[in-house]
Amino acid sequence: MKKISALLVLCSFLFVTSCSSDENTLITDPIPVDKNLNKQQTGSSANDLLSDIKFKSLVIEVVYVNGF
């Protein structure tokens, strides 16, 4: 009976100490992102992507898993 109570106390102690608040004070966002540009209608940003006024190149990366 002592082993069960000691195990229960140990498990409850580990449970209480493992819970912590989730503070993200280390992550800072120095460059603000304009989210309105991501909410444009379909095709309204096609000129930006297809012309070379704003962007000079486009890099597309394809990642796949062998044997999947």
Side-chain angles (χ1 to χ4, degrees):
M1 185 68 180
K2 285 186 175 183
K3 289 183 180 181
I4 294 174
S5 62
L7 182 64
L8 182 63
V9 169
L10 179 66
C11 288
S12 62
F13 175 74
L14 290 175
F15 178 74
V16 170
T17 58
S18 66
C19 298
S20 64
S21 63
D22 200 18
E23 296 179 15
N24 293 329
T25 57
L26 298 177
I27 300 173
T28 59
D29 192 15
I31 303 171
V33 176
D34 187 10
K35 294 181 181 179
N36 291 328
L37 296 175
N38 294 335
K39 296 180 181 180
Q40 293 178 352
Q41 293 180 355
T42 305
S44 64
S45 61
N47 187 29
D48 294 337
L49 292 173
L50 297 175
S51 68
D52 65 346
I53 296 170
K54 289 189 178 184
F55 303 105
K56 301 296 179 195
S57 65
L58 177 68
V59 176
I60 299 174
E61 295 182 8
V62 178
V63 179
Y64 66 95
V65 178
N66 289 331
F68 185 67

